[in-house]
């Protein structure tokens, strides 16, 4: 026997030298939920240790994340029912919750990269990502017009990157044109390019009270059975001006991450979604798995599949684990 692969596994030092993929705080984007009010932080029941924060407490959380080395956050608003309507007008209110939060973060922790979500669902009485007609159909082009307004309004507030998660056709190009026409050339676009109609989003919809009031999202989000379609979506978003592309969810779609990685030179982002978070937390709470090890192994699998960045509710916990060791 001449080949003995175990030779390179003999000591921790050797194993570290030949380690192919690494997980660092620089890879992680930390999603945060902001709500109205003061002095409040409410745990999301299906996402243990994940909270909705009022703005004052959110700023503390952002500062803590920054001090742990996290460079980017993704912001999601909990919009009061009274501010929701059929066309999501609150989404481009210059004094809306997202806009106020972005300004406050930029003042408190100026270097933290702020990524804001573009979609109508948190602002819609129907819980859909687009405008709904009287037959329950989601209207593409009128929705895109509103998404452009939403993007410009977030850019005015000072966001660094807008992240359209709505899956309407043509929105990346329209948003790029709208931002440029308004002078926001430097605001980037992280496109949710391959976003699947997934049951893994359940806990997130609990967090925002944004579950669809009727039907499902299958006329705009992708079918879990498809992979070539993901490459089509990615190609379109790149042609329309995306700066980064995302695959979502991540864990059940590692093959898609891998294929997208070989199809583009842009940074690829994996969204480790709420249901993936909830599964690990639930099993760990039962004592059935070793939480830390499973978190690190799971996130590393996304890097190995080809993700450059991971959007994950575990971001801060992982940063703390790194700091301990
Ligand atoms: C909505 C949006 C969703 C998520 C991010 N943006 C839910 C959905 O599409 O219904 C889900 C994220 C998660 O589950 O962690 N535009």
């Amino acid at each position: 026997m001449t080949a003995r692969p175990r030779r390179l596994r003999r000591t921790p030092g050797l194993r570290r030298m030949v380690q192919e993929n690494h997980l660092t705080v620089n890879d992680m984007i930390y999603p945060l939920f902001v709500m109205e009010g003061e002095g409040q932080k409410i745990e999301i029941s299906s996402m243990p240790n994940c909270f909705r924060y009022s703005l004052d407490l959110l700023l503390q959380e952002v500062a803590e994340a920054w001090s742990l080395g996290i460079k980017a956050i993704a912001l999601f608003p909990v919009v009061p029912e009274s501010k929701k309507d059929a066309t999501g007008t609150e989404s481009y209110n210059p004094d809306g919750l997202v806009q106020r939060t972005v300004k406050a973060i930029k003042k408190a922790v100026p270097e933290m990269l702020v990524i804001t979500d573009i979609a109508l669902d948190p602002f819609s009485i129907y819980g859909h990502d687009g405008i709904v007609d009287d037959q329950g159909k989601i209207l593409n082009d009128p929705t895109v017009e509103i998404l452009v307004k939403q993007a410009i309004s977030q850019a005015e507030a000072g966001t660094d990157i807008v992240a359209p998660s709505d899956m309407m056709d043509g929105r990346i190009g329209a948003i790029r044109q709208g931002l440029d026409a308004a002078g926001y050339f430097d605001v980037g676009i992280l496109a949710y390019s391959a976003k699947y109609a997934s049951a893994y989003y359940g806990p997130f919809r609990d967090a925002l009270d944004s579950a669809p009031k009727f039907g499902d999202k299958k006329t705009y989000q992708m079918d879990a059975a498809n992979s070539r379609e993901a490459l089509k979506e990615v190609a379109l978003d790149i042609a329309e001006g995306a700066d980064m592309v995302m695959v979502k969810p991540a864990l059940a779609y590692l093959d898609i991450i891998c294929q997208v990685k070989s199809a583009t030179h842009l940074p690829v982002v994996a969204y480790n979604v709420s249901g993936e978070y909830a599964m690990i937390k639930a099993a760990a709470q039962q004592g059935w798995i070793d939480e830390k090890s499973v978190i690190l192994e799971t996130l590393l699998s996304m890097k190995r599949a080809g993700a450059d960045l991971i959007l994950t509710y575990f971001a801060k916990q992982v940063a703390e684990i790194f700091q301990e060791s």
Side-chain angles (χ1 to χ4, degrees):
M1 216 186 333
T2 49
R4 288 186 179 271
R6 288 187 53 196
R7 250 180 230 132
L8 297 183
R9 298 183 205 131
R10 196 168 49 84
T11 69
L14 254 173
R15 291 197 292 273
R16 229 170 283 135
M17 282 177 73
V18 299
Q19 182 174 336
E20 297 174 38
N21 292 285
H22 301 266
L23 193 63
T24 81
V25 279
N26 300 325
D27 308 325
M28 279 178 292
I29 302 171
Y30 185 29
L32 286 168
F33 301 109
V34 64
M35 64 178 182
E36 297 287 358
E38 230 187 281
Q40 272 188 305
K41 116 178 198 190
I42 301 171
E43 191 170 33
I44 298 149
S45 55
S46 48
M47 300 176 75
N49 205 34
C50 241
F51 301 84
R52 303 161 154 199
Y53 297 91
S54 59
L55 180 49
D56 51 341
L57 297 191
L58 183 95
L59 293 177
Q60 285 178 21
E61 183 67 10
V62 171
E64 268 178 47
W66 178 259
S67 70
L68 284 163
I70 292 171
K71 316 277 184 308
I73 60 139
L75 200 58
F76 297 98
V78 186
V79 180
E81 284 305 315
S82 62
K83 298 223 165 124
K84 298 185 183 181
D85 63 16
T87 58
T89 44
E90 181 64 15
S91 66
Y92 54 90
N93 175 359
D95 202 30
L97 180 57
V98 171
Q99 288 81 353
R100 276 181 280 131
T101 304
V102 172
K103 280 183 206 157
I105 294 173
K106 281 291 160 188
K107 212 168 142 193
V109 193
E111 285 174 284
M112 180 65 93
L113 196 87
V114 178
I115 302 174
T116 42
D117 191 66
I118 303 280
L120 299 189
D121 53 332
F123 308 94
S124 154
I125 46 175
Y126 304 114
H128 275 287
D129 293 35
I131 298 176
V132 182
D133 76 2
D134 46 17
Q135 263 104 61
K137 199 174 150 196
I138 311 300
L139 303 176
N140 195 89
D141 301 10
T143 299
V144 171
E145 283 177 34
I146 298 194
L147 300 176
V148 172
K149 289 189 196 176
Q150 188 181 8
I152 293 172
S153 149
Q154 292 175 354
E156 273 164 8
T159 197
D160 295 291
I161 294 179
V162 294
S165 69
D166 55 284
M167 289 301 277
M168 296 300 118
D169 293 335
R171 89 278 205 215
I172 301 300
I175 289 170
R176 186 67 272 159
Q177 276 179 16
L179 288 173
D180 288 354
Y184 297 110
F185 307 98
D186 289 336
V187 171
I189 302 180
L190 161 56
Y192 283 65
S193 300
K195 176 169 176 179
Y196 287 86
S198 170
Y200 283 98
Y201 307 151
F204 176 95
R205 294 174 186 171
D206 294 342
L208 295 195
D209 293 326
S210 65
K213 294 290 183 300
F214 65 87
D216 54 39
K217 299 193 173 185
K218 290 183 178 167
T219 69
Y220 45 106
Q221 299 180 348
M222 288 177 44
D223 185 337
N226 295 353
S227 55
R228 275 176 296 148
E229 192 186 355
L231 300 180
K232 177 173 83 177
E233 286 282 5
V234 164
L236 281 169
D237 287 355
I238 293 172
E240 291 177 30
D243 298 289
M244 303 190 225
V245 292
M246 176 149 33
V247 175
K248 175 185 175 188
L251 196 48
Y253 298 84
L254 292 175
D255 58 322
I256 307 297
I257 295 173
C258 185
Q259 290 184 54
V260 167
K261 178 66 165 200
S262 21
T264 177
H265 294 146
L266 296 190
V268 175
V269 183
Y271 197 146
N272 174 221
V273 301
S274 57
E276 300 169 34
Y277 177 87
M279 290 194 303
I280 292 181
K281 283 288 175 186
Q285 280 184 350
Q286 296 285 329
W288 292 341
I289 56 171
D290 177 57
E291 179 170 348
K292 276 187 198 174
S293 309
V294 170
I295 292 171
L296 296 176
E297 184 176 334
T298 303
L299 298 181
L300 197 55
S301 78
M302 294 164 197
K303 294 287 307 272
R304 194 184 63 237
D308 298 286
L309 300 168
I310 307 172
L311 218 163
T312 176
Y313 303 95
F314 290 118
K316 190 171 168 224
Q317 192 177 348
V318 169
E320 282 163 352
I321 295 172
F322 287 162
Q323 202 170 54
E324 283 160 23
S325 54

PDB file of all heavy atoms in Angstrom, residues 41 53-67 108-109 316:
ATOM      1  N   LYS A  41     -37.889  43.430  23.645  1.00  0.00           N
ATOM      2  CA  LYS A  41     -37.313  42.381  22.821  1.00  0.00           C
ATOM      3  C   LYS A  41     -38.140  41.132  23.060  1.00  0.00           C
ATOM      4  O   LYS A  41     -38.326  40.720  24.200  1.00  0.00           O
ATOM      5  CB  LYS A  41     -35.809  42.284  23.133  1.00  0.00           C
ATOM      6  CG  LYS A  41     -35.248  41.086  23.735  1.00  0.00           C
ATOM      7  CD  LYS A  41     -33.717  41.242  23.877  1.00  0.00           C
ATOM      8  CE  LYS A  41     -33.112  39.866  24.084  1.00  0.00           C
ATOM      9  NZ  LYS A  41     -31.711  39.857  24.464  1.00  0.00           N
ATOM     10  N   TYR A  53     -36.733  43.022  17.909  1.00  0.00           N
ATOM     11  CA  TYR A  53     -36.217  44.087  18.769  1.00  0.00           C
ATOM     12  C   TYR A  53     -36.882  45.429  18.456  1.00  0.00           C
ATOM     13  O   TYR A  53     -37.065  45.762  17.272  1.00  0.00           O
ATOM     14  CB  TYR A  53     -34.720  44.316  18.518  1.00  0.00           C
ATOM     15  CG  TYR A  53     -33.823  43.143  18.836  1.00  0.00           C
ATOM     16  CD1 TYR A  53     -33.519  42.204  17.866  1.00  0.00           C
ATOM     17  CD2 TYR A  53     -33.270  43.010  20.108  1.00  0.00           C
ATOM     18  CE1 TYR A  53     -32.679  41.137  18.144  1.00  0.00           C
ATOM     19  CE2 TYR A  53     -32.429  41.943  20.393  1.00  0.00           C
ATOM     20  CZ  TYR A  53     -32.139  41.009  19.410  1.00  0.00           C
ATOM     21  OH  TYR A  53     -31.305  39.960  19.691  1.00  0.00           O
ATOM     22  N   SER A  54     -37.174  46.201  19.488  1.00  0.00           N
ATOM     23  CA  SER A  54     -37.508  47.599  19.231  1.00  0.00           C
ATOM     24  C   SER A  54     -36.190  48.289  18.859  1.00  0.00           C
ATOM     25  O   SER A  54     -35.101  47.791  19.174  1.00  0.00           O
ATOM     26  CB  SER A  54     -38.158  48.248  20.444  1.00  0.00           C
ATOM     27  OG  SER A  54     -37.290  48.190  21.556  1.00  0.00           O
ATOM     28  N   LEU A  55     -36.305  49.436  18.188  1.00  0.00           N
ATOM     29  CA  LEU A  55     -35.113  50.062  17.600  1.00  0.00           C
ATOM     30  C   LEU A  55     -33.976  50.285  18.598  1.00  0.00           C
ATOM     31  O   LEU A  55     -32.814  49.999  18.297  1.00  0.00           O
ATOM     32  CB  LEU A  55     -35.514  51.381  16.914  1.00  0.00           C
ATOM     33  CG  LEU A  55     -34.417  52.177  16.237  1.00  0.00           C
ATOM     34  CD1 LEU A  55     -33.549  51.333  15.325  1.00  0.00           C
ATOM     35  CD2 LEU A  55     -35.031  53.339  15.451  1.00  0.00           C
ATOM     36  N   ASP A  56     -34.307  50.780  19.808  1.00  0.00           N
ATOM     37  CA  ASP A  56     -33.237  51.056  20.779  1.00  0.00           C
ATOM     38  C   ASP A  56     -32.447  49.788  21.121  1.00  0.00           C
ATOM     39  O   ASP A  56     -31.216  49.804  21.166  1.00  0.00           O
ATOM     40  CB  ASP A  56     -33.818  51.720  22.049  1.00  0.00           C
ATOM     41  CG  ASP A  56     -35.005  50.949  22.639  1.00  0.00           C
ATOM     42  OD1 ASP A  56     -35.618  50.125  21.911  1.00  0.00           O
ATOM     43  OD2 ASP A  56     -35.310  51.151  23.820  1.00  0.00           O
ATOM     44  N   LEU A  57     -33.163  48.674  21.329  1.00  0.00           N
ATOM     45  CA  LEU A  57     -32.467  47.428  21.674  1.00  0.00           C
ATOM     46  C   LEU A  57     -31.776  46.806  20.458  1.00  0.00           C
ATOM     47  O   LEU A  57     -30.744  46.139  20.584  1.00  0.00           O
ATOM     48  CB  LEU A  57     -33.423  46.428  22.318  1.00  0.00           C
ATOM     49  CG  LEU A  57     -34.045  46.875  23.647  1.00  0.00           C
ATOM     50  CD1 LEU A  57     -34.760  45.709  24.314  1.00  0.00           C
ATOM     51  CD2 LEU A  57     -33.000  47.451  24.600  1.00  0.00           C
ATOM     52  N   LEU A  58     -32.357  47.058  19.287  1.00  0.00           N
ATOM     53  CA  LEU A  58     -31.723  46.562  18.060  1.00  0.00           C
ATOM     54  C   LEU A  58     -30.342  47.194  17.892  1.00  0.00           C
ATOM     55  O   LEU A  58     -29.373  46.522  17.526  1.00  0.00           O
ATOM     56  CB  LEU A  58     -32.585  46.881  16.836  1.00  0.00           C
ATOM     57  CG  LEU A  58     -32.018  46.321  15.529  1.00  0.00           C
ATOM     58  CD1 LEU A  58     -32.643  44.965  15.220  1.00  0.00           C
ATOM     59  CD2 LEU A  58     -32.220  47.250  14.360  1.00  0.00           C
ATOM     60  N   LEU A  59     -30.251  48.483  18.221  1.00  0.00           N
ATOM     61  CA  LEU A  59     -28.962  49.164  18.070  1.00  0.00           C
ATOM     62  C   LEU A  59     -27.901  48.531  18.976  1.00  0.00           C
ATOM     63  O   LEU A  59     -26.744  48.393  18.586  1.00  0.00           O
ATOM     64  CB  LEU A  59     -29.102  50.662  18.375  1.00  0.00           C
ATOM     65  CG  LEU A  59     -29.950  51.453  17.368  1.00  0.00           C
ATOM     66  CD1 LEU A  59     -30.082  52.908  17.810  1.00  0.00           C
ATOM     67  CD2 LEU A  59     -29.380  51.369  15.952  1.00  0.00           C
ATOM     68  N   GLN A  60     -28.332  48.124  20.178  1.00  0.00           N
ATOM     69  CA  GLN A  60     -27.386  47.430  21.086  1.00  0.00           C
ATOM     70  C   GLN A  60     -26.926  46.106  20.471  1.00  0.00           C
ATOM     71  O   GLN A  60     -25.747  45.759  20.532  1.00  0.00           O
ATOM     72  CB  GLN A  60     -28.063  47.126  22.425  1.00  0.00           C
ATOM     73  CG  GLN A  60     -28.235  48.335  23.320  1.00  0.00           C
ATOM     74  CD  GLN A  60     -28.958  47.964  24.626  1.00  0.00           C
ATOM     75  OE1 GLN A  60     -28.985  46.804  25.026  1.00  0.00           O
ATOM     76  NE2 GLN A  60     -29.539  48.960  25.280  1.00  0.00           N
ATOM     77  N   GLU A  61     -27.890  45.396  19.890  1.00  0.00           N
ATOM     78  CA  GLU A  61     -27.568  44.093  19.286  1.00  0.00           C
ATOM     79  C   GLU A  61     -26.602  44.285  18.105  1.00  0.00           C
ATOM     80  O   GLU A  61     -25.658  43.513  17.931  1.00  0.00           O
ATOM     81  CB  GLU A  61     -28.868  43.410  18.837  1.00  0.00           C
ATOM     82  CG  GLU A  61     -28.707  42.026  18.249  1.00  0.00           C
ATOM     83  CD  GLU A  61     -28.243  40.961  19.252  1.00  0.00           C
ATOM     84  OE1 GLU A  61     -28.217  41.241  20.466  1.00  0.00           O
ATOM     85  OE2 GLU A  61     -27.879  39.860  18.798  1.00  0.00           O
ATOM     86  N   VAL A  62     -26.831  45.318  17.308  1.00  0.00           N
ATOM     87  CA  VAL A  62     -25.957  45.602  16.164  1.00  0.00           C
ATOM     88  C   VAL A  62     -24.550  45.934  16.662  1.00  0.00           C
ATOM     89  O   VAL A  62     -23.551  45.445  16.114  1.00  0.00           O
ATOM     90  CB  VAL A  62     -26.526  46.755  15.291  1.00  0.00           C
ATOM     91  CG1 VAL A  62     -25.516  47.185  14.233  1.00  0.00           C
ATOM     92  CG2 VAL A  62     -27.842  46.334  14.640  1.00  0.00           C
ATOM     93  N   ALA A  63     -24.466  46.737  17.724  1.00  0.00           N
ATOM     94  CA  ALA A  63     -23.159  47.110  18.266  1.00  0.00           C
ATOM     95  C   ALA A  63     -22.424  45.877  18.797  1.00  0.00           C
ATOM     96  O   ALA A  63     -21.221  45.707  18.575  1.00  0.00           O
ATOM     97  CB  ALA A  63     -23.325  48.155  19.372  1.00  0.00           C
ATOM     98  N   GLU A  64     -23.165  44.980  19.470  1.00  0.00           N
ATOM     99  CA  GLU A  64     -22.546  43.740  19.974  1.00  0.00           C
ATOM    100  C   GLU A  64     -22.039  42.873  18.828  1.00  0.00           C
ATOM    101  O   GLU A  64     -20.939  42.329  18.876  1.00  0.00           O
ATOM    102  CB  GLU A  64     -23.572  42.920  20.759  1.00  0.00           C
ATOM    103  CG  GLU A  64     -23.586  43.200  22.241  1.00  0.00           C
ATOM    104  CD  GLU A  64     -24.669  42.380  22.945  1.00  0.00           C
ATOM    105  OE1 GLU A  64     -24.768  41.164  22.684  1.00  0.00           O
ATOM    106  OE2 GLU A  64     -25.416  42.971  23.752  1.00  0.00           O
ATOM    107  N   ALA A  65     -22.874  42.761  17.797  1.00  0.00           N
ATOM    108  CA  ALA A  65     -22.479  41.949  16.636  1.00  0.00           C
ATOM    109  C   ALA A  65     -21.212  42.528  16.004  1.00  0.00           C
ATOM    110  O   ALA A  65     -20.290  41.791  15.652  1.00  0.00           O
ATOM    111  CB  ALA A  65     -23.615  41.904  15.609  1.00  0.00           C
ATOM    112  N   TRP A  66     -21.166  43.851  15.900  1.00  0.00           N
ATOM    113  CA  TRP A  66     -19.991  44.504  15.310  1.00  0.00           C
ATOM    114  C   TRP A  66     -18.743  44.206  16.148  1.00  0.00           C
ATOM    115  O   TRP A  66     -17.675  43.885  15.612  1.00  0.00           O
ATOM    116  CB  TRP A  66     -20.219  46.023  15.206  1.00  0.00           C
ATOM    117  CG  TRP A  66     -19.036  46.740  14.644  1.00  0.00           C
ATOM    118  CD1 TRP A  66     -18.093  47.450  15.339  1.00  0.00           C
ATOM    119  CD2 TRP A  66     -18.627  46.772  13.267  1.00  0.00           C
ATOM    120  NE1 TRP A  66     -17.139  47.925  14.481  1.00  0.00           N
ATOM    121  CE2 TRP A  66     -17.436  47.537  13.204  1.00  0.00           C
ATOM    122  CE3 TRP A  66     -19.144  46.245  12.080  1.00  0.00           C
ATOM    123  CZ2 TRP A  66     -16.755  47.774  12.007  1.00  0.00           C
ATOM    124  CZ3 TRP A  66     -18.472  46.473  10.886  1.00  0.00           C
ATOM    125  CH2 TRP A  66     -17.297  47.235  10.868  1.00  0.00           C
ATOM    126  N   SER A  67     -18.898  44.260  17.468  1.00  0.00           N
ATOM    127  CA  SER A  67     -17.726  44.045  18.324  1.00  0.00           C
ATOM    128  C   SER A  67     -17.270  42.579  18.262  1.00  0.00           C
ATOM    129  O   SER A  67     -16.120  42.274  18.565  1.00  0.00           O
ATOM    130  CB  SER A  67     -18.012  44.476  19.765  1.00  0.00           C
ATOM    131  OG  SER A  67     -18.924  43.585  20.343  1.00  0.00           O
ATOM    132  N   ALA A 108     -25.199  54.991  14.587  1.00  0.00           N
ATOM    133  CA  ALA A 108     -24.638  54.332  15.770  1.00  0.00           C
ATOM    134  C   ALA A 108     -23.413  53.477  15.443  1.00  0.00           C
ATOM    135  O   ALA A 108     -22.433  53.471  16.189  1.00  0.00           O
ATOM    136  CB  ALA A 108     -25.712  53.478  16.439  1.00  0.00           C
ATOM    137  N   VAL A 109     -23.484  52.719  14.354  1.00  0.00           N
ATOM    138  CA  VAL A 109     -22.385  51.818  13.969  1.00  0.00           C
ATOM    139  C   VAL A 109     -22.137  52.005  12.460  1.00  0.00           C
ATOM    140  O   VAL A 109     -22.494  51.151  11.653  1.00  0.00           O
ATOM    141  CB  VAL A 109     -22.732  50.341  14.258  1.00  0.00           C
ATOM    142  CG1 VAL A 109     -21.490  49.456  14.166  1.00  0.00           C
ATOM    143  CG2 VAL A 109     -23.383  50.156  15.627  1.00  0.00           C
ATOM    144  N   LYS A 316     -24.335  35.384  15.109  1.00  0.00           N
ATOM    145  CA  LYS A 316     -23.749  35.908  16.341  1.00  0.00           C
ATOM    146  C   LYS A 316     -23.247  34.767  17.233  1.00  0.00           C
ATOM    147  O   LYS A 316     -22.169  34.863  17.828  1.00  0.00           O
ATOM    148  CB  LYS A 316     -24.778  36.758  17.091  1.00  0.00           C
ATOM    149  CG  LYS A 316     -24.173  37.529  18.236  1.00  0.00           C
ATOM    150  CD  LYS A 316     -25.179  38.515  18.809  1.00  0.00           C
ATOM    151  CE  LYS A 316     -24.697  39.084  20.120  1.00  0.00           C
ATOM    152  NZ  LYS A 316     -25.780  39.106  21.121  1.00  0.00           N
TER     153      LYS A 316
END
